[in-house]
Amino acid sequence: MKRALYLVALLMLGSCASAPSRINNVCAVFDQRDGWINSWYGSAKKTEREFGVPVPILMATIYAESGFNPYAKPPRTKLLGFIPWKRASSAYGYSQALDGTWKRYQAETGNWYARRSNFADAVHFIGWYHAISNRVNGIALNDPYRLYLAYYLGHGGYSRGTANATAQQGAKRAANMATRYAGQLRSCGR
């Protein structure tokens, strides 16, 4: 009996540690991660209630940043054009949060045990960050394009207007996905 329970627990944890398939449909994403222990929809909805950022924008940010890969990292640069070298930044996890920003989040929220590879923690971080963008940069909480730009560039970079083509493309992708996700959520009754 103990072995069976251990195996079930191991399988449950293993399923949580991988990216869901069918990430272009938010209803499918939530259906794939709708466990009684770990409900992604419940975590996203809780973050929406706390920070006022709509669920489709939270999910579109994760989609654009990591494609729902809990262990996402930037690619390594190449030394001499072919030797794997350092990563471009310390971005990691669902949210692709940088080390310093993640530590600030932990300090300000008191969530010291938060992990970037944990969906509930990552979506909460994104809600927290977007709420700061609203307060510091005056971006509406329902504006996925500008929220993503501030997320990608940082609050200071957004204030200086340093958006390059890569940032703008990412913001368009996130905004389009947020619109798509919003329609999907209406159709599946979430």
Side-chain angles (χ1 to χ4, degrees), residues 55-67:
V55 168
I57 294 174
L58 296 168
M59 297 300 284
T61 303
I62 292 175
Y63 174 90
E65 285 293 296
S66 68

Side-chain angles (χ1 to χ4, degrees), residues 72-89 91 96:
K73 293 179 183 179
R76 291 187 178 278
T77 57
K78 303 283 187 201
L79 179 66
L80 303 174
F82 67 95
I83 302 170
W85 198 241
K86 299 176 184 177
R87 297 190 189 279
S89 76
Q96 288 294 281

Side-chain angles (χ1 to χ4, degrees), residues 11-113:
L11 289 171
M12 286 174 57
L13 287 174
S15 69
C16 295
S18 61
S21 59
R22 299 176 28 224
I23 62 173
N24 291 322
N25 185 315
V26 75
C27 297
V29 170
F30 286 143
D31 287 346
Q32 292 170 80
R33 296 296 189 265
D34 193 20
W36 51 276
I37 293 176
N38 185 19
S39 168
W40 282 19
Y41 179 72
S43 297
K45 199 66 183 165
K46 182 178 176 187
T47 297
E48 178 185 66
R49 284 191 299 271
E50 182 175 351
F51 295 109
V53 181
V55 168
I57 294 174
L58 296 168
M59 297 300 284
T61 303
I62 292 175
Y63 174 90
E65 285 293 296
S66 68
F68 296 95
N69 178 352
Y71 307 112
K73 293 179 183 179
R76 291 187 178 278
T77 57
K78 303 283 187 201
L79 179 66
L80 303 174
F82 67 95
I83 302 170
W85 198 241
K86 299 176 184 177
R87 297 190 189 279
S89 76
S90 62
Y92 178 71
Y94 290 111
S95 62
Q96 288 294 281
L98 300 173
D99 289 350
T101 312
W102 189 259
K103 286 180 178 147
R104 177 181 163 205
Y105 160 76
Q106 289 176 311
E108 289 185 13
T109 62
N111 194 359
W112 293 106
Y113 297 103

Side-chain angles (χ1 to χ4, degrees), residues 103-183:
K103 286 180 178 147
R104 177 181 163 205
Y105 160 76
Q106 289 176 311
E108 289 185 13
T109 62
N111 194 359
W112 293 106
Y113 297 103
R115 296 181 336 269
R116 291 176 277 184
S117 59
N118 176 288
F119 178 83
D121 295 336
V123 78
H124 190 261
F125 168 85
I126 291 168
W128 168 83
Y129 197 92
H130 285 339
I132 293 172
S133 297
N134 170 259
R135 192 173 66 247
V136 170
N137 300 111
I139 303 169
L141 292 174
N142 63 354
D143 185 343
Y145 182 85
R146 287 180 181 77
L147 285 173
Y148 185 82
L149 272 182
Y151 192 86
Y152 186 90
L153 299 169
H155 299 120
Y158 180 86
S159 294
R160 290 187 298 276
T162 60
N164 57 25
T166 303
Q168 291 171 349
Q169 280 180 300
K172 283 179 190 170
R173 196 166 125 225
N176 289 339
M177 191 52 74
T179 300
R180 184 175 181 182
Y181 279 175

